[in-house]
Amino acid sequence: MTSVRAEAVPVEVELNLFSQRPNPTWSLAAPQAEELGRSLASLVQRPARERSPITGYRGFLIRDQPDSGSVRLIRVYGGSVEIPGRGVFLDPDRKVERWLLESAGDAVDPEMRALVLRELEARPR
Amino acid sequence: MPFAVTLNLYSQRPDPRWALSPEQDAEFLDRVRSLLLRTPLKARGVAGRTGYRGFTVSSSPDSPLAGPRVLVLDGIVDPGVSAPSFFDPERGLEKWLLSTAGEALAGDVRAAVASLLERPADEAVFSFAGALALTARAGSCVPRAADAPAFVPGLWTGGDVQDKNHCYDYANNQQTGTQAVPGTTHGIQVVFTCPSIQAAAEADGLVQTPDFTRKLRSGEGWYVALALSTTGRFGPDFHWYRQDDDGCWSHKVGGDPPTNCDDSFNAITNPKHCDRGEYDTFCCFMITNGNVKIS
């Protein structure tokens, strides 16, 4: 099984929604970053990622700096997790997406959270 | 063992391949014979597609039969150019072929393909047809501006260039790295209405125009278009498109890579009438040029 090993902090998450307006972004606390790393490490590889829509909810972007190197951008959408240089991984039941939304805290207001949750319940567009 | 199965997955690596047992050979033929729905679609048209690209069933090398070669993808069972295809809406044949792989397939690859096969065939075919539409409609765009930039996604993709240049930067073909907003250079703060954003863009040097029918000569700039999300599900926002040198339109949504597709994954011949997704209100066409000041 191909896997992703846990990575160190800092980790920033962006909810990819808008074009002109700034997207909601937040940082993960160290325990959250470790939990995310464990979660990513348990995923299995898949052959191709789910194509995200052009506008509207387009998933989450995770920026981290593995081994304190250059910033890496991980894309999470529609049951797929795309990790540069490692491949595309299956996110069954969109658990990683749900977890990331939960981690937003006050960065995402309740109304927007409900709308994104509705997107997560639907089949990827 | 007349039949061999290839699971088309890779580019560089060899694809997984296995032989069917005599019992499986018979079951394969029975399953194909039981398909009743015919379709004019051919499964071979998968140009540009990567990842899972279906199963090829052919005569195995040690078979005395110069038999058929069948491609099974997205519920289309395609026996080749000389015969019509059959449609398998539940993708039962693909699922069955996957189950015959045995040790030829690692468990995680099998699980990944199995999850893709859960997507209904009509939906998978629709997405594929949408992607093809780009090619089919390429001739319907009419170039209008000598100065229009070329659609080169690679110039705007990756790292800070992609992250820090959004739709207004892209429409004006300027990599400011500031996520430019209309009017900022001139101390104007926009609100989310068409007149407010139009006025701010005019302060930057853009000029309103009723449409994009007039040919623009060298030095006259190129066409851009503004749309607004007023009833968008996630709150107000606005968005810019630009006309490229091939006459089709492209755009860059936030920190995503640029695209020349609308929300239905069709080529954009006119942003006023394309599927703009969240950006439901079309505001106006404008003309920009290389001298406008944005930040």
Side-chain angles (χ1 to χ4, degrees), chain A residues 1-2 16 18-21 45-47 51-52 54-58 63 75 90 115 119 123 125, chain B residues 112 116 123 162-163 166-167 180-181 192 233-234 236-239 251 253-254 256 262-263 265 278-279:
Chain A
M1 181 173 79
T2 306
N16 198 12
F18 300 117
S19 176
Q20 185 71 57
R21 280 173 64 185
Q45 207 156 16
R46 64 180 292 180
R51 180 175 60 183
S52 61
I54 301 290
T55 66
Y57 172 68
R58 306 187 297 284
R63 290 180 179 82
R75 293 181 174 273
L90 189 65
L115 290 166
E119 294 275 331
R123 185 183 293 279
R125 283 201 284 161
Chain B
L116 290 173
E123 199 177 289
Q162 180 180 320
D163 274 1
H166 287 190
C167 56
V181 179
F192 290 100
R233 293 165 299 168
F234 304 106
D237 191 18
F238 57 93
H239 187 52
H251 56 135
V253 185
D256 289 358
D262 70 4
D263 267 60
F265 294 96
E278 297 291 314
Y279 303 93

Side-chain angles (χ1 to χ4, degrees), chain B residues 29-186:
Chain B
L29 291 173
D30 284 346
R31 282 177 176 270
V32 172
R33 287 190 194 108
S34 72
L35 297 171
L36 300 175
L37 295 170
R38 287 176 182 269
T39 173
L41 294 171
K42 308 302 284 182
R44 293 185 181 280
V46 291
R49 186 165 174 168
T50 60
Y52 171 68
R53 301 187 301 283
F55 295 87
T56 302
V57 184
S58 54
S59 299
S60 68
D62 54 353
S63 166
L65 302 172
R69 181 183 160 90
V70 179
L71 181 60
V72 188
L73 173 63
D74 295 342
I76 298 171
V77 181
D78 179 359
V81 293
S82 58
S85 304
F86 289 90
F87 192 50
D88 176 19
E90 303 299 324
R91 308 183 75 170
L93 190 55
E94 283 167 276
K95 291 172 184 169
W96 180 79
L97 286 169
L98 182 65
S99 77
T100 65
E103 300 296 315
L105 216 53
D108 56 345
V109 177
R110 185 196 304 269
V113 174
S115 95
L116 290 173
L117 297 184
E118 290 306 315
R119 191 177 194 193
D122 53 351
E123 199 177 289
V125 169
F126 177 80
S127 299
F128 162 56
L132 278 188
L134 274 178
T135 309
R137 294 178 53 189
S140 58
C141 297
V142 181
R144 293 292 182 198
D147 296 341
F151 178 64
V152 186
L155 292 177
W156 297 83
T157 303
D160 281 354
V161 167
Q162 180 180 320
D163 274 1
K164 296 182 176 174
N165 293 290
H166 287 190
C167 56
Y168 195 49
D169 304 273
Y170 182 77
N172 287 292
N173 201 33
Q174 291 188 33
Q175 295 186 348
T176 69
T178 62
Q179 303 171 0
V181 179
T184 302
T185 304
H186 302 89

Side-chain angles (χ1 to χ4, degrees), chain B residues 272-293:
Chain B
K272 188 172 185 178
H273 302 301
C274 74
D275 180 357
R276 295 188 304 274
E278 297 291 314
Y279 303 93
D280 55 324
T281 301
F282 185 83
C283 294
C284 64
F285 293 104
M286 301 187 86
I287 298 170
T288 188
N289 62 73
N291 297 320
V292 300
K293 302 282 187 234

